[in-house]
Amino acid sequence: MPKIRFNNPHTDKLFMICLEPWAEEYWLRPGDAFTVEFDESDRAEQMIGDADFDVSWYDFGILVWTASGKDVTVLDRSGTRLDHGHQQPNAD
């Protein structure tokens, strides 16, 4: 199962990971690290060029498009599975 780890090196701001095509957002607090695991069982059907996933960086965070339409799991450092919207800030 392909994995990628994301770290928030900032000391003063949240950092967002958005997983597409589901528009699922996960927010890393300063010092947090999340691991994203991709199900590769159907990857031959939906490759993005020759890659398993595509990553784009923005000021607010990272957008990750997966080639798989199947399961994507996001885990914290302890291995706990996170639900989308994890640590999402309140809209004030």
Side-chain angles (χ1 to χ4, degrees):
M1 184 175 285
K3 298 179 194 180
I4 187 168
R5 177 163 308 175
F6 295 98
N7 298 288
N8 181 353
H10 301 285
T11 58
D12 62 343
K13 69 177 185 174
L14 289 170
F15 192 75
M16 185 197 60
I17 299 170
C18 182
L19 299 178
E20 294 290 1
W22 310 278
E24 292 182 354
E25 296 178 1
Y26 301 83
W27 294 82
L28 287 85
R29 292 185 176 139
D32 275 350
F34 295 165
T35 299
V36 180
E37 295 181 345
F38 301 88
D39 179 359
E40 62 183 342
S41 63
D42 72 340
R43 70 182 232 185
E45 294 179 17
Q46 298 182 20
M47 296 276 296
I48 300 170
D50 60 354
D52 295 321
F53 51 89
D54 189 62
V55 179
S56 299
W57 283 263
Y58 298 93
D59 289 338
F60 60 84
I62 294 174
L63 180 66
V64 180
W65 277 89
T66 176
S68 171
K70 299 263 183 184
D71 292 330
V72 173
T73 304
V74 179
L75 307 168
D76 66 12
R77 284 188 184 167
S78 70
T80 302
R81 185 179 183 146
L82 304 175
D83 293 326
H84 70 88
H86 181 75
Q87 302 182 147
Q88 183 173 2
N90 295 329
D92 293 336

